[in-house]
C-alpha cells in the first residue's frame, strides 16, 4: 500500500499516522502505551523535548483555569441556594456543626467503647549489657482497669524493640492510658524497665505519637542522658 508520511519507531513499538486531507483535525486517534524513559528518549532524539514540556505546561494551565471556573460556579450556586433558603425560611443546605467534644464529655459518652491500640516500638531503653541484652515486652492498660494489652517478648532486642502489636481495650471512662516496658527473665520475676502514660486530654480525639518513658519506680531522671520513648497509636 501507499506509505504514510509520518513514522515513529521505538524499539518494539511502531506508530504510523498521516495528516487528514483538507487540513482539518483527526477525529479519531489511536495510541499505544509507552514507558516513560523511552518516550523521553524519543523526544530528546527528535529535538522536541523543550517544546513538549512547554505544551504540557500550557495544557496544565488551561486545565487549572477550567477547574477554577467550575469551582466558582458551584460556589455561586451554593450561595444562591443559601440565600433562597434564608428568604423562604427553609432549612439550610449547610450541615450544622457538631458541638466540640471535650475530655469530660468523652469520659462519659465513650464508656464501653472498644479502643484500638497499636504499640509500635520503643527507643533508648536502659538496662541490659553486651552479653545480656534486654528481652523487652510492653503492657498497656487504662488506669485502674484489669484488662491489658501485652506484646510478645523480643529476645535480645536490647534498647530498640519493634513490636508492631495491635489489639483492643474496652474504655471505661478512665483518665489515662498507662504503658510499661518489662525485661523478661526466665529464671526470676520480670523487671520493670520504664513506664509512662497518655492522659485523656491527649487521646480523647485520637492519638498517634510518642509517650515519654520515666525510670521504673520513679527513679532519678538525671541518670538518663537520652530520652526514652514509645510510639503508640490510639483510635
Amino acid at each position: 500500500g501507499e506509505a504514510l508520511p509520518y513514522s515513529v519507531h521505538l524499539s518494539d513499538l511502531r506508530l504510523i499516522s498521516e495528516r487528514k486531507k483538507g487540513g482539518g483535525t483527526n477525529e479519531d486517534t489511536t495510541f499505544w502505551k509507552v514507558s516513560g524513559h523511552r518516550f523521553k528518549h524519543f523526544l530528546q532524539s527528535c529535538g522536541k523535548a523543550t517544546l513538549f514540556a512547554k505544551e504540557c505546561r500550557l495544557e496544565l494551565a488551561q486545565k487549572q483555569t477550567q477547574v477554577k471556573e467550575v469551582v466558582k460556579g458551584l460556589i455561586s450556586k451554593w450561595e444562591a441556594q443559601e440565600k433562597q433558603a434564608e428568604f423562604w425560611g427553609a432549612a439550610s443546605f449547610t450541615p450544622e456543626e457538631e458541638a466540640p467534644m471535650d475530655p469530660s464529655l468523652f469520659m462519659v459518652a465513650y464508656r464501653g467503647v472498644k479502643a484500638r491500640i497499636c504499640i509500635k516500638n520503643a527507643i533508648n531503653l536502659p538496662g541490659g549489657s553486651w552479653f545480656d541484652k534486654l528481652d523487652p515486652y510492653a503492657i498497656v492498660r487504662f488506669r485502674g482497669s484489669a484488662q491489658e494489652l501485652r506484646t510478645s517478648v523480643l529476645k535480645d532486642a536490647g534498647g530498640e524493640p519493634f513490636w508492631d502489636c495491635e489489639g483492643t481495650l474496652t474504655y471505661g471512662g478512665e483518665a489515662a492510658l498507662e504503658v510499661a516496658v518489662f525485661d523478661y527473665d526466665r529464671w526470676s520475676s520480670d523487671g520493670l524497665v520504664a513506664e509512662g502514660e497518655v492522659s485523656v486530654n491527649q487521646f480523647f480525639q485520637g492519638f498517634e505519637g510518642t509517650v515519654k518513658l520515666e525510670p521504673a519506680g520513679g527513679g532519678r531522671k538525671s541518670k538518663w542522658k537520652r530520652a526514652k520513648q514509645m510510639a503508640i497509636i490510639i483510635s
Side-chain angles (χ1 to χ4, degrees):
E2 183 180 354
L4 297 177
Y6 303 106
S7 176
V8 178
H9 183 64
L10 300 175
S11 185
D12 57 346
L13 174 67
R14 186 175 178 84
L15 175 64
I16 302 175
S17 180
E18 66 176 344
R19 187 185 302 275
K20 185 177 181 180
K21 295 181 179 179
T25 58
N26 294 334
E27 296 180 357
D28 299 322
T29 302
T30 304
F31 62 93
W32 292 267
K33 183 177 180 181
V34 184
S35 61
H37 71 277
R38 288 186 176 180
F39 186 65
K40 183 178 179 181
H41 178 70
F42 163 70
L43 291 175
Q44 292 173 344
S45 299
C46 62
K48 300 294 184 179
T50 302
L51 180 61
F52 180 77
K54 180 180 178 180
E55 291 296 327
C56 287
R57 287 192 292 268
L58 291 174
E59 183 70 17
L60 176 61
Q62 292 175 357
K63 293 293 184 183
Q64 290 176 336
T65 301
Q66 293 174 0
V67 171
K68 288 180 181 179
E69 293 300 323
V70 172
V71 171
K72 287 181 180 179
L74 292 174
I75 293 176
S76 298
K77 183 178 180 180
W78 169 74
E79 289 177 342
Q81 291 175 339
E82 287 291 296
K83 290 180 180 179
Q84 185 179 11
E86 182 180 0
F87 178 80
W88 293 106
S92 173
F93 292 94
T94 304
E96 296 183 0
E97 294 184 1
E98 297 182 359
M101 180 71 70
D102 64 78
S104 59
L105 180 60
F106 174 86
M107 295 172 69
V108 176
Y110 283 81
R111 288 178 181 268
V113 174
K114 289 187 179 297
R116 187 176 68 86
I117 312 292
C118 180
I119 307 170
K120 301 297 288 185
N121 67 305
I123 59 174
N124 300 331
L125 293 178
S129 64
W130 181 262
F131 300 101
D132 184 19
K133 294 183 178 181
L134 290 176
D135 303 326
Y137 66 93
I139 295 178
V140 300
R141 62 162 62 91
F142 288 110
R143 180 184 295 167
S145 174
Q147 187 184 22
E148 65 181 31
L149 174 61
R150 181 187 297 245
T151 70
S152 59
V153 176
L154 299 184
K155 183 69 174 177
D156 292 330
E160 310 285 333
F162 184 82
W163 297 288
D164 198 21
C165 172
E166 291 191 19
T168 59
L169 293 175
T170 302
Y171 180 66
E174 295 85 0
L177 179 78
E178 298 176 336
V179 302
V181 181
F182 292 85
D183 180 25
Y184 173 77
D185 193 324
R186 181 179 179 182
W187 309 109
S188 62
S189 58
D190 300 341
L192 178 60
V193 177
E195 56 190 347
E197 68 175 32
V198 185
S199 69
V200 67
N201 290 335
Q202 295 174 279
F203 70 71
F204 78 97
Q205 290 182 315
F207 179 86
E208 182 174 358
T210 58
V211 182
K212 184 178 180 181
L213 301 177
E214 303 291 355
R220 292 190 307 168
K221 303 177 186 178
S222 59
K223 65 181 181 180
W224 284 13
K225 296 181 180 180
R226 295 184 298 172
K228 280 63 181 169
Q229 298 177 329
M230 177 189 292
I232 194 169
I233 301 173
I234 307 173
S235 59

